[in-house]
Amino acid sequence: MDMELYKSVVDFVRNHNKASTSHIQRAFNLSYNRAVPIMDKLEEDYVISPMSANGKREVYPEIVAELQQQIKVLTADLKESQSDFAYAYKSVTSWTERAYKQREKVELIKNEVERFQQSGTPLDLNQFLNNLIELATFKNDNEFTDFVLFPKVATKEINEILGMQCFQFIRTAQVYRNLGFEINKKAENEQAFFLFKFLHLALVHGDKYLEVFNTETRNLIEACESGAEQ
């Protein structure tokens, strides 16, 4: 893999807070076959999250990648020698101090560090690190860009979507699998994937939800075909 290209993709993804195969294909003029391994490495390096049920990925702040890499190092150290715990703890707190500067969760992280310092053991280390990651990536109310409230009364569009049958999604699910989405071939999994997606679109776009969905799908297909031709 071209590491200079990979570093450029990492910067691009973090700057735009968006990650998808088609996105980096268009931005870097890559074929689908070149873009997929890069996406895999971004996930492996904790730059991005695994794909969610609606086909999206979260872009993690840098502190997550740093903490996760530290988990690997510290776990390996602790397996070799329990006496390394004091050094391991010192390393963990240094990462935490960096988290202070990057996220607005100073008191929560500080409390977690103090709790671990008083009662933690080497066996608790992974849980401690996971707690720090949760705190470092916790979003405040202004950052819930993909969050929408479900209405108290069902709209016409919501009733329409909830009445859709699993067999209606067979062909569409195959199209999305061909585009790289991980959708189990069981009918109920295909149905759940698209009901979730349609409900979100309906809450945001109202009766235009199918129009938006079809446009998004066409764009994904065109991006994929364009990448395959390169």
Side-chain angles (χ1 to χ4, degrees):
M1 181 179 291
D2 183 339
M3 293 311 295
E4 288 301 317
L5 170 63
Y6 176 70
K7 289 176 183 176
S8 297
V9 173
V10 171
D11 291 340
F12 177 80
V13 164
R14 283 181 172 150
N15 288 337
H16 289 78
N17 197 33
K18 180 179 178 183
S20 69
T21 305
S22 58
H23 192 217
I24 64 171
Q25 276 184 263
R26 290 193 296 271
F28 293 90
N29 196 26
L30 300 175
S31 68
Y32 180 77
N33 289 338
R34 285 194 71 194
V36 169
I38 292 176
M39 289 294 290
D40 290 341
K41 184 165 174 58
L42 289 172
E43 183 177 332
E44 181 185 337
D45 291 345
Y46 299 99
V47 177
I48 60 175
S49 70
M51 190 179 290
S52 66
N54 66 351
K56 292 187 177 182
R57 296 177 183 269
E58 180 183 356
V59 179
Y60 291 141
E62 288 184 52
I63 187 63
V64 173
E66 294 168 349
L67 286 169
Q68 287 285 16
Q69 292 301 327
Q70 194 70 356
I71 285 176
K72 292 181 181 179
V73 173
L74 296 179
T75 303
D77 287 347
L78 290 169
K79 284 178 181 176
E80 291 176 9
S81 171
Q82 293 294 317
S83 63
D84 286 338
F85 177 65
Y87 173 76
Y89 174 74
K90 184 177 179 182
S91 298
V92 173
T93 53
S94 72
W95 290 111
T96 309
E97 287 167 6
R98 297 184 66 176
Y100 285 178
K101 299 173 184 177
Q102 294 190 38
R103 309 296 295 178
E104 297 176 357
K105 304 298 171 188
V106 178
E107 288 304 314
L108 290 174
I109 293 175
K110 184 178 178 182
N111 291 342
E112 179 63 17
V113 172
E114 290 176 351
R115 181 201 66 76
F116 184 72
Q117 193 170 24
Q118 292 171 6
S119 59
T121 70
L123 295 177
D124 299 327
L125 183 59
N126 281 347
Q127 184 57 53
F128 168 66
L129 284 162
N130 287 330
N131 289 347
L132 290 186
I133 290 166
E134 258 187 60
L135 292 170
T137 58
F138 180 78
K139 296 182 176 182
N140 62 42
D141 292 340
N142 295 326
E143 293 177 303
F144 280 113
T145 53
D146 288 332
F147 181 76
V148 289
L149 289 174
F150 208 80
K152 292 181 179 179
V153 179
T155 63
K156 174 173 118 357
E157 293 76 35
I158 290 174
N159 280 325
E160 180 179 279
I161 292 165
L162 293 177
M164 292 178 176
Q165 302 298 307
C166 57
F167 64 83
Q168 294 178 254
F169 304 108
I170 296 172
R171 293 181 63 184
T172 312
Q174 188 54 53
V175 169
Y176 268 67
R177 275 192 287 269
N178 292 340
L179 290 169
F181 289 81
E182 296 176 6
I183 308 174
N184 192 292
K185 288 189 176 182
K186 288 184 178 181
E188 57 266 32
N189 294 116
E190 294 174 343
Q191 183 184 38
F193 179 92
F194 288 105
L195 287 184
F196 181 87
K197 188 170 186 62
F198 285 167
L199 284 170
H200 186 276
L201 290 175
L203 291 169
V204 175
H205 302 285
D207 61 0
K208 303 288 186 186
Y209 75 94
L210 270 180
E211 183 181 328
V212 174
F213 173 76
N214 289 332
T215 300
E216 286 183 358
T217 303
R218 280 195 297 271
N219 290 340
L220 287 170
I221 292 171
E222 288 171 7
C224 187
E225 289 176 346
S226 174
E229 291 172 1
Q230 294 175 13

